[in-house]
Amino acid sequence: MKRIFFLGLVLSALPGYPLWAQCPQLIWSDEFNGSTLDQTKWTYEIGDGCDIGLCQWGTGEIQWYTSQPDNTVVSEGTLKIIARKQTIQTRAYSSARIKSLLKGDIKFGRIEARMKMPKGQGIWPAFWMLPTDRVYGIWPQSGEIDIMEYLGHEPNKIHGTLHFGQLWPNNASTTKSFIIQQSDFNAAFHDYALEWTDQHIKWFIDGYLYSTKTRADLGSQRWPFDQKFHFLLNLAIGGPWAGSPNSSTIFPQTFEIDYVRAYDMVGLAFLDGPNQVLPNQKSVNFSLKNVPNGSTIEWSTPVGVKVISGQTSANITVDWAGSGGVVTAIVKNACSEYKFALAISILPVLVKDIVLENFDQVARISKSSSSGILTEDVSNPAANGVNSSALCGRYTRNSGSLYDILVYDISDIKFGADFVLGEKKLYLDIFTAAPVGTEILLQLEDKNQAQGSNYPVGRHSRYTVKTTKQNEWERLPFTFLDRPSSAVSDFAINQLILLFAPNTQTGATYYLDNFEIYSKTTLPLRSNANDQKVRVFPNPTTDEITIQTNGDDRIRTVKFINLQGITIDSKVGNPSSQLVYKAGLLTPGIYVAVISLSSGQSVSVNFVKK
């Protein structure tokens, strides 16, 4: 089961270290190759925390931690932490919690573990770190790093979190979750990694970078993550976050760990790219970052996915198929070999729902303030197929502001979780001379809590886009980044903030238009095999669709009707068995093609224009 997790020559160095030109060096590890827990590396924590003034471990847990062999098993190269329905002392469940305090304490580097999750309501395993010396005070003043947390009733989701700030109830946290596609975390082992420097902390799953936190994410709060920390592994039961076990929870439950390793370096290779795509999406890019020179790379894609370019390079472009699957890359070099893997699922088709601002009609959002200068209703600088509107907005960034903001009041976001989960998405047209790759952040907030100096309080969620063009309109969808404060209610969002090129002091000008909310359709969408008599493909379409009969029937007429029941266009067949329709007249959205056949029958087929 053991395998080397790292690879590559390090391309960035820790503070005070030279730029490394050799393989990572292991500074601490446990491979769990024996028959008992190695107590030169780990210490058991016993009880429910009440003896140290932290009853139920401060989080409402309902288990009793033990050192008994029924709860901690080392065999066949793995550690098993086992939770049982078993009354000990005053608690109805038993489990185990171990720590490396004064036996495995590190400051900066890369931490890796290969683990398999349990499953079930009320089950809460974690791999995390606490400060060894508490230089800045008690929790959370000296910080907490959660490398991986998982709730058994959400088996496809993991969480990476930093805790910091002042004493409860003025404590703070910043977190990001990752949802695995195609499977659950309890179905197999996965590789969890964290890279830690005095400036940033990064989280990886199976070599895929899914979260980065920097000093800026803590706002005005102290960055306490510049001291020694130690590891903890535990399997908790219950508490308000995980919920209590119910009749569906099966015991015993096992949290299995293959190894824990710490290296002296960061900046190792990782996988980048989307883990969700549209059906039949064209030119999807995946890339490997920080790959050392001299490495060999081999990509693998699901059946039906066409590789356009880059099969043996660090960057691959593909045309996706109609269903999900797993993209993998194998990298070999002098240090090691590693298999990167990313499961991809198909996004729901979203259609335009609400126009927030397009400078051609009354806006549904109102500007509250800005660092730079917003000028409304200016002439389109260069109309094209993406944006042919006569008017748009022009925003000139304040070069003296490190975090330039454009603030809007908004009332159209009724439930913030829709945007976090991808049920809804915000789109914006952008035209700028700023460099390709310039980031634009979007932040949803409760303005009654959020103040300029108290980040992350009041900040519900953040979303990001990066420009791909210069001096040309492009339509950009904002992708979920993280939830700075989980304390903000999904029903409390009343402010939207755009941050142009955050953490820079540039003065570029941005033209913006067609700021819109897209929503998941509730209509049933049919696949390419739309009907026994008729096919409509491709579906979704960006340009043209083909309507084709499956038998002796011929197409007589076709009407194209929108969701309001209005006929947008119509075509008359010869009659013939096939009709190709240029969909340029149709704006993005869902339509019904009502097809009249020579037999006298009528067939209705839903399709999407992107």
Side-chain angles (χ1 to χ4, degrees), residues 259-453:
Y259 56 74
V260 176
R261 298 171 182 164
Y263 296 93
D264 60 352
M265 299 183 187
V266 297
L268 276 65
F270 65 90
L271 179 60
D272 188 31
N275 69 334
Q276 292 183 295
V277 299
L278 290 167
N280 304 304
Q281 184 173 334
K282 305 296 184 184
S283 299
V284 183
N285 297 309
F286 300 95
S287 62
L288 290 163
K289 310 292 188 182
N290 294 356
V291 176
N293 293 333
S295 298
T296 61
I297 300 171
E298 182 179 349
W299 294 88
S300 177
T301 58
V303 174
V305 174
K306 183 179 179 181
V307 178
I308 304 302
S309 65
Q311 179 64 61
T312 58
S313 74
N315 300 283
I316 189 173
T317 300
V318 304
D319 285 348
W320 202 259
S323 59
V326 180
V327 170
T328 62
I330 297 176
V331 178
K332 298 179 183 179
N333 55 46
C335 288
S336 188
E337 173 182 329
Y338 183 69
K339 180 181 178 181
F340 299 84
L342 180 63
I344 316 294
S345 70
I346 298 298
L347 280 165
V349 176
L350 303 180
V351 297
K352 185 163 62 177
D353 187 3
I354 299 173
V355 179
L356 299 175
E357 172 67 285
N358 66 4
F359 304 99
D360 294 310
Q361 60 192 64
V362 177
R364 296 177 67 97
I365 54 176
S366 60
K367 178 193 166 187
S368 172
S369 63
S370 64
S371 304
I373 299 172
L374 174 66
T375 306
E376 298 184 345
D377 303 333
V378 301
S379 296
N380 189 330
N384 65 4
V386 173
N387 188 333
S388 59
S389 300
L391 301 176
C392 62
R394 182 180 65 226
Y395 186 74
T396 302
R397 192 189 188 283
N398 179 359
S399 62
S401 175
L402 195 62
Y403 290 94
D404 179 284
I405 58 173
L406 174 56
V407 184
Y408 286 101
D409 291 335
I410 185 169
S411 60
D412 281 310
I413 295 181
K414 308 300 184 184
F415 188 56
D418 284 340
F419 294 85
V420 173
L421 298 173
E423 298 289 313
K424 295 179 181 287
K425 193 178 284 283
L426 286 147
Y427 279 75
L428 180 64
D429 289 357
I430 288 290
F431 177 104
T432 182
V436 168
T438 296
E439 183 180 30
I440 303 171
L441 282 177
L442 186 152
Q443 205 158 275
L444 301 181
E445 301 185 348
D446 176 4
K447 65 181 179 182
N448 299 316
Q449 300 182 54
Q451 306 298 324
S453 60

Side-chain angles (χ1 to χ4, degrees), residues 492-514:
I493 296 168
N494 49 32
Q495 186 166 269
L496 181 154
I497 293 182
L498 292 170
L499 296 92
F500 295 88
N503 199 24
T504 69
Q505 290 183 301
T506 61
T509 294
Y510 300 81
Y511 292 88
L512 52 152
D513 201 1
N514 298 322

